[in-house]
Amino acid sequence: MEFSTKSGSVEKQRTACLVIGVYEPRKLTHIGEQIDNISDNYIGNLLRRGDMEGKLGQILLLHHVPNTLADRVLFVGCGKERELTETQYQTIVKKVITTLNETGSMDAICYLTDLKVKGRDTYWKIRFAVETAHQSLYTFDQFKSQKDEARRPLRRFVFNVSSRRELAIGDTAIKDGNAIAAGCAETMDLANTPGNICTPHYLSQRALEFAKEFATIKTTIVSQDELEEMGAGAFIAVAKGSDNPGNLTIMEYQGGPKDEKPIVLVGKGITFDTGGISLKPGEGMDEMKYDMGGAASVFGTMRAVAQMQLPLNLVAIIATAENMPSGKASRPGDIVTSLSGQTIEILNTDAEGRLVLCDALTYAERYNPDVVIDIATLTGAVIIALGHEASGLYSNHNPLGHELMSASDKANDRAWRMPLWDEYADQLKSNFADFSNLGGRPAGSITAAIFLSKFAKKFQWAHLDIAGTAWRSGKAKGATGRPVPLLSQFLMDKVNKNGNA
Ligand code: BES
Ligand code: MN
Ligand code: ZN
């Protein structure tokens, strides 16, 4: 879909549909009042008769409103004027986009830019609407013989802005929103692709395609054999159980000066997690195809960054393998030596994410990074702690923790800071190795993060546990694209790109 901006009076717009907000109870927005005046109170009368209360997400589609040049006017309920939150704004945009798409309006001019979302400017409102629109229209139907497509889909969506100055702001917001949405779609496509197709090899191929698509990206692949040779014993302990070999897939994006230190993103790319010999129960195991959601979000962020051409250097390390039970798989009790030299007693082969990630973190040292952030569907425990709303955020460097929290707020992609206190480290004690990979049931997301922190001592590091946020279960099962908005915002903030700059 195509987005653009325009600044012009409402009665002169020739379009398939005008989109106008109505607050509760029956209160027209400023633009709504203009249309009401033009149409000799046609709208006001409808409201008084009770056709539209203005409740959040309510819809009223009118044809041929007197004295307008538009085929239709779509009124959308925005709830109480004073209480408009980001989530409500998102609900409104979703409703508008799906309605337009289903009712044959192939283009529309949207006046929702005049809604007051507390603390959010025009840039934010337009960018977020673009992201939300793409998100609402996203489908994953590659494997469906019959595709469910709209007969007359929405093609062009125009944001009205109130001044010429705002046109430029709007155009930047659209560009940024498109890039972040493209990143989310990349992430969702990869994550939704099942484990029989999306293997470690498949992810590496995708990274090679990135290098072809973007002149700024270089891809290299470190094979399982090379990793074994190198001494990445923790990674190998996971990968060796599968017939699909694992690897480290590395994408280097250069947008800044060559000698500038890079930011490194490390993604957990377990393309399927059976649990290994510590086999998972069968129910819902299909969802463990999403155990490469961290890796998928690194791909998505790479795409967003490359599309926006951010002036910084970024390295993506995809730690990818399949966690399978087999005659070659690790057993509970096995002791391995990680790439860092620290030894690990594998008390549970289902705590495999931290095993592949710890060696990837050590590998990251060779890029002399400014900051390293790993992203992983690491623990079921983070879902118990934070549910499906927020990703668990950990950092060994407070300013970095704050930057990520602030990016999370700006991008409306929630994260919540969790502690890395020393006291928790006792839970990882092992009788036979330096430590174990299992911290027991209490504070399971925290002990997993503490485990990783033992491999992140040489740089500023943050960890996002996205097990609760990367995908939805149940009827609406599917990847969410998170935390691409958060990571993209963090990187945009690094180079002061926020629409007003
Ligand atoms: N990929 C899972 C985490 C997970 C579980 C994400 C359920 C989403 C839903 C991870 O590899 C895992 O199995 N973690 C174990 C760790 C435990 C054995 C210490 C868990 O969370 O149960
Ligand atoms: Mn597991
Ligand atoms: Zn896992």
Side-chain angles (χ1 to χ4, degrees):
M1 191 167 48
E2 252 181 62
F3 296 94
S4 56
T5 50
K6 189 167 187 174
S7 177
S9 55
V10 70
E11 71 273 18
K12 296 208 185 109
Q13 307 301 328
R14 259 179 220 288
T15 172
C17 194
L18 294 171
V19 180
I20 314 278
V22 181
Y23 292 116
E24 189 184 355
R26 303 178 299 281
K27 186 172 178 301
L28 285 167
T29 47
H30 182 63
I31 296 286
E33 277 169 10
Q34 282 181 23
I35 297 207
D36 191 37
N37 291 336
I38 299 158
S39 66
D40 299 326
N41 299 110
Y42 182 76
I43 314 298
N45 289 333
L46 282 177
L47 296 189
R48 266 186 297 281
R49 285 206 323 241
D51 290 75
M52 176 87 178
E53 192 57 29
K55 282 202 190 314
L56 185 71
Q58 203 188 349
I59 282 291
L60 178 64
L61 185 61
L62 302 177
H63 294 259
H64 306 296
V65 171
N67 306 323
T68 62
L69 298 177
D71 297 340
R72 309 171 182 79
V73 180
L74 175 64
F75 287 96
V76 57
C78 299
K80 301 239 170 61
E81 184 171 5
R82 295 245 185 92
E83 295 169 7
L84 190 51
T85 64
E86 288 90 349
T87 311
Q88 287 174 349
Y89 181 70
Q90 189 172 30
T91 306
I92 294 163
V93 174
K94 256 191 211 152
K95 194 75 202 193
V96 166
I97 296 293
T98 48
T99 307
L100 290 172
N101 202 47
E102 284 161 9
T103 54
S105 300
M106 296 181 75
D107 70 282
I109 303 183
C110 167
Y111 284 83
L112 296 176
T113 30
D114 77 334
L115 296 181
K116 288 183 211 75
V117 186
K118 221 177 152 195
R120 305 298 192 179
D121 55 12
T122 304
Y123 169 83
W124 190 93
K125 282 186 280 184
I126 294 183
R127 184 180 117 191
F128 198 59
V130 170
E131 290 177 43
T132 304
H134 283 296
Q135 188 74 244
S136 339
L137 295 176
Y138 175 83
T139 50
F140 185 73
D141 54 11
Q142 250 173 278
F143 299 99
K144 295 249 193 207
S145 313
Q146 303 289 341
K147 321 244 187 244
D148 181 20
E149 276 159 0
R151 200 174 60 80
R152 286 168 57 79
L154 180 61
R155 288 267 157 75
R156 266 166 41 83
F157 196 77
V158 182
F159 293 97
N160 182 77
V161 292
S162 58
S163 67
R164 295 200 143 266
R165 195 185 70 86
E166 292 212 310
L167 286 173
I169 293 176
D171 290 340
T172 310
I174 289 170
K175 264 202 199 121
D176 294 350
N178 277 335
I180 293 169
C184 288
E186 174 77 39
T187 300
M188 293 189 284
D189 282 348
L190 285 173
N192 285 329
T193 302
N196 62 326
I197 293 167
C198 183
T199 57
H201 176 72
Y202 182 93
L203 289 180
S204 327
Q205 290 305 115
R206 189 79 193 124
L208 290 168
E209 285 167 20
F210 265 49
K212 285 215 182 97
E213 187 178 342
F214 298 103
T216 43
I217 294 178
K218 190 183 103 193
T219 297
T220 45
I221 292 150
V222 189
S223 70
Q224 181 167 325
D225 289 344
E226 286 167 320
L227 286 161
E228 183 153 24
E229 190 97 332
M230 201 183 291
F235 183 95
I236 295 299
V238 178
K240 70 179 188 176
S242 171
D243 290 344
N244 293 316
N247 71 70
L248 288 188
T249 291
I250 297 166
M251 289 176 279
E252 290 170 74
Y253 165 83
Q254 197 199 325
K258 239 195 157 78
D259 54 352
E260 195 172 281
K261 289 179 167 192
I263 293 170
V264 177
L265 300 180
V266 179
K268 172 177 171 182
I270 299 295
T271 56
F272 197 81
D273 181 12
T274 65
I277 297 299
S278 312
L279 194 64
K280 285 182 181 295
E283 199 189 334
M285 208 208 269
D286 67 292
E287 294 189 8
M288 281 300 118
K289 74 174 182 181
Y290 289 119
D291 212 17
M292 36 60 77
S297 76
V298 172
F299 273 96
T301 304
M302 240 328 164
R303 173 169 295 286
V305 165
Q307 192 167 320
M308 287 187 281
Q309 302 180 306
L310 293 189
L312 48 74
N313 295 336
L314 184 66
V315 175
I317 303 182
I318 307 296
T320 181
E322 191 179 42
N323 189 21
M324 291 296 239
S326 79
K328 284 187 278 172
S330 296
R331 319 149 189 77
D334 282 2
I335 295 174
V336 296
T337 304
S338 67
L339 186 57
S340 72
Q342 301 175 97
T343 59
I344 304 162
E345 184 184 15
I346 302 175
L347 284 180
N348 190 319
T349 64
D350 198 11
E352 84 297 340
R354 62 198 80 181
L355 295 175
V356 297
L357 286 172
C358 72
D359 281 347
L361 286 170
T362 304
Y363 193 87
E365 285 172 13
R366 66 184 63 195
Y367 292 96
N368 190 21
D370 190 21
V371 165
V372 179
I373 304 171
D374 77 73
I375 304 100
T377 50
L378 201 61
T379 67
V382 80
I383 311 177
I384 305 301
L386 297 172
H388 299 283
E389 305 310 321
S391 306
L393 164 63
Y394 298 84
S395 182
N396 64 5
H397 186 69
N398 277 325
L400 175 60
H402 291 304
E403 281 170 45
L404 283 161
M405 277 305 291
S406 145
S408 144
D409 177 63
K410 277 194 208 166
N412 205 45
D413 180 0
R414 290 201 167 105
W416 196 252
R417 187 96 181 257
M418 305 271 279
L420 283 170
W421 297 315
D422 241 9
E423 287 81 345
Y424 291 107
D426 285 354
Q427 289 176 233
L428 294 172
K429 281 207 165 129
S430 160
N431 285 355
F432 308 111
D434 294 345
F435 40 84
S436 88
N437 74 334
L438 186 66
R441 274 174 65 83
S445 173
I446 300 177
T447 51
I450 298 254
F451 179 96
L452 294 179
S453 73
K454 294 174 183 293
F455 301 84
K457 294 198 180 123
K458 298 199 175 141
F459 36 70
Q460 298 172 16
W461 162 79
H463 156 62
L464 286 163
D465 191 339
I466 59 165
T469 52
W471 77 93
R472 272 184 290 270
S473 310
K475 251 193 112 187
K477 190 188 289 180
T480 60
R482 292 177 66 183
V484 170
L486 158 58
L487 292 167
S488 305
Q489 185 67 56
F490 168 78
L491 295 165
M492 290 162 81
D493 288 350
K494 278 272 174 215
V495 294
N496 280 318
K497 181 170 167 41
N498 52 29
N500 306 320

